[in-house]
């Protein structure tokens, strides 16, 4: 039996001589060996780049909210116009991120549809794990955006609550109405000491003027009370309108989220319906194949029986 000789060192020497003949020095050979050990990172796909860009946009939106949180909540730091400007910029950010997530979701859906054959069976080249991973990435981005928008909704709720508190009616203490009985008693008291004296004809004139002035004062007070009531009603109406505006915004946010969920469920239901139809077709074809195989087996047994009988008769 021949002995086995280890020629690893001879192979290394041959490789080194070949490398030197091709112009590879020590530095180039070291870099080449390092490239075999530490592989270069592969180029990222278009989906990965778009997902990272969307994540960066959401992070920028979150940093913007953290930066302007106090300015948006505290009414003494900024004006209403500045807070409206912050809200407008946040809405633009959210809309842009939502559009990017929708583009990613559409690309994943198209890839999933194109990866299936006409029978609904996934082709061998398509990687189901990759598609599931992309669905997970889209879901994570959606949840991240929803978390940031929820934070802004809380800030907006604080702003609306401040507006409601400022618009609450501030009732002024009402003066007690001047009663006519007091005036009458005062008039009677003022008249009693004068009854014993002689009344001049010129002193009778001011009494009707006092009564007329008292009537005007009573009417003015009644108008003030009525206007104060109308002002309170207007303030209550304004408060209710602000509350309705806040509730409408929250309702629209939840309706948008439910619309997305309903659309996803509808797509899933359509896909499940297609899968059920294709399954029914496959079952029908399997039943047909089973019946044809039974017929062929019966025919084969009949032919075999006649062949055996023929051979027996012939012998």
């Amino acid at each position: 039996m021949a002995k086995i000789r280890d020629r690893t060192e001879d192979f290394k020497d041959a490789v080194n001589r070949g490398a030197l003949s091709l112009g590879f020095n020590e530095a180039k050979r070291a870099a080449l060996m390092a490239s075999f050990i530490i592989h270069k990172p592969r180029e990222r796909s278009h989906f990965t780049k778009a997902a990272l860009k969307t994540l960066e946009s959401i992070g920028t939106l979150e940093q913007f909210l953290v930066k302007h949180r106090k300015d948006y909540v505290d009414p003494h730091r900024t004006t209403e116009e500045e807070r409206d400007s912050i809200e407008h910029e946040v809405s633009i950010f959210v809309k842009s991120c939502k559009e990017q997530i929708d583009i990613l979701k559409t690309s994943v859906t198209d890839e999933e549809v194109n990866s299936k054959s006409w029978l609904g069976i996934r082709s061998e080249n398509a990687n189901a794990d990759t598609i599931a991973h992309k669905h997970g990435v889209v879901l994570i981005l959606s949840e991240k955006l929803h978390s940031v928008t929820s934070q802004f909704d809380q800030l907006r709720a604080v702003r609306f609550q401040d507006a409601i508190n400022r618009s609450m009616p501030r009732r002024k203490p009402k003066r007690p109405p001047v009663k006519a009985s007091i005036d009458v008693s005062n008039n009677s008291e003022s008249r009693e000491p004068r009854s014993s004296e002689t009344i001049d004809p010129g002193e009778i004139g001011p009494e009707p003027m006092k009564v007329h002035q008292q009537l005007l004062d009573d009417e003015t007070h009644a108008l003030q009370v009525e206007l104060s009531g109308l002002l309170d009603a207007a303030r209550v109406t304004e408060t209710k309108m602000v509350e309705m505006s806040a509730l409408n915004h929250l309702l629209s946010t939840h309706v948008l989220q439910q619309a997305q969920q309903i659309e996803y469920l509808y797509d899933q239901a359509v896909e499940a319906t297609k899968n059920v139809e294709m399954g029914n077709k496959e079952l029908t074809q399997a039943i047909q194949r089973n019946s044809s195989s039974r017929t062929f087996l019966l025919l084969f047994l009949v032919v075999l029986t006649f062949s055996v009988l023929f051979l027996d008769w012939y012998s």
Side-chain angles (χ1 to χ4, degrees):
M1 184 176 179
K3 295 182 179 180
I4 299 175
R5 181 184 175 186
D6 186 8
R7 305 193 63 181
T8 304
E9 297 298 331
D10 297 338
F11 175 74
K12 291 182 179 180
D13 294 337
V15 171
N16 289 329
R17 287 194 299 270
L20 289 174
S21 63
L22 294 175
F24 285 90
N25 53 14
E26 292 293 335
K28 289 184 179 181
R29 279 186 291 173
L32 184 61
M33 294 300 294
S35 65
F36 288 135
I37 297 173
I38 304 175
H39 298 283
K40 295 181 180 180
R42 293 184 299 176
E43 186 179 358
R44 292 172 177 173
S45 61
H46 178 70
F47 178 85
T48 305
K49 292 180 181 179
L52 290 175
K53 183 179 179 181
T54 304
L55 182 61
E56 184 179 357
S57 300
I58 296 175
T60 304
L61 174 60
E62 188 173 8
Q63 293 176 1
F64 181 81
L65 288 178
V66 172
K67 181 179 179 181
H68 297 279
R69 183 190 301 272
K70 295 182 179 179
D71 296 335
Y72 185 79
V73 175
D74 192 358
H76 301 289
R77 295 171 64 96
T78 55
T79 61
E80 290 293 332
E81 289 78 9
E82 292 176 350
R83 283 188 282 179
D84 292 338
S85 177
I86 293 174
E87 187 171 346
H88 179 67
E89 291 181 4
V90 171
S91 302
I92 293 176
F93 264 111
V94 172
K95 185 177 180 181
S96 176
C97 295
K98 182 66 173 58
E99 290 177 353
Q100 293 177 7
I101 292 175
D102 291 338
I103 292 173
L104 292 175
K105 187 184 297 184
T106 304
S107 66
V108 175
T109 305
D110 294 340
E111 183 179 356
E112 186 177 7
V113 171
N114 295 329
S115 64
K116 294 181 180 180
S117 61
W118 64 279
L119 289 176
I121 303 173
R122 193 178 299 276
S123 60
E124 297 180 356
N125 296 329
N127 192 349
D129 295 334
T130 303
I131 295 177
H133 168 71
K134 291 182 179 180
H135 278 295
V137 170
V138 174
L139 180 60
I140 290 172
L141 292 176
S142 301
E143 291 178 352
K144 182 70 174 177
L145 180 61
H146 177 65
S147 176
V148 176
T149 52
S150 299
Q151 296 177 8
F152 182 68
D153 288 337
Q154 293 176 0
L155 297 179
R156 185 178 292 174
V158 172
R159 179 187 177 186
F160 284 146
Q161 186 64 38
D162 292 338
I164 291 172
N165 295 333
R166 288 198 306 271
S167 61
M168 288 294 289
R170 299 178 181 177
R171 299 180 179 274
K172 296 181 179 179
K174 296 181 180 180
R175 298 177 181 176
V178 181
K179 295 182 180 180
S181 60
I182 300 175
D183 297 336
V184 172
S185 62
N186 293 332
N187 292 330
S188 62
E189 291 177 357
S190 60
R191 288 173 185 175
E192 287 177 357
R194 298 173 61 91
S195 60
S196 59
E197 299 177 357
T198 305
I199 301 175
D200 297 332
E203 295 180 357
I204 301 175
E207 293 296 332
M209 295 296 294
K210 292 182 179 179
V211 174
H212 182 67
Q213 185 67 30
Q214 183 66 35
L215 292 176
L216 290 177
D217 292 339
D218 293 340
E219 291 180 359
T220 303
H221 181 69
L223 288 175
Q224 289 179 352
V225 172
E226 184 178 0
L227 291 176
S228 177
L230 292 176
L231 180 60
D232 293 341
R235 287 175 177 173
V236 171
T237 305
E238 182 183 1
T239 303
K240 291 182 179 179
M241 291 298 294
V242 173
E243 293 177 353
M244 289 178 62
S245 176
L247 291 175
N248 285 330
H249 175 72
L250 295 177
L251 181 62
S252 63
T253 303
H254 290 296
V255 167
L256 179 60
Q257 296 174 2
Q258 290 180 359
Q260 295 175 357
Q261 295 177 357
I262 290 172
E263 183 179 0
Y264 177 74
L265 292 176
Y266 175 75
D267 295 336
Q268 293 294 324
V270 171
E271 185 176 358
T273 304
K274 291 180 180 178
N275 292 332
V276 169
E277 291 178 355
M278 290 185 291
N280 291 331
K281 291 180 181 178
E282 292 293 333
L283 288 175
T284 304
Q285 293 178 2
I287 292 171
Q288 292 177 357
R289 294 192 192 99
N290 192 10
S291 61
S292 61
S293 62
R294 289 180 181 178
T295 304
F296 177 76
L297 182 60
L298 181 60
L299 181 61
F300 176 74
L301 291 176
V302 171
V303 172
L304 183 61
T305 303
F306 278 106
S307 300
V308 171
L309 292 176
F310 176 74
L311 292 174
D312 184 68
W313 174 78
Y314 183 75
S315 63

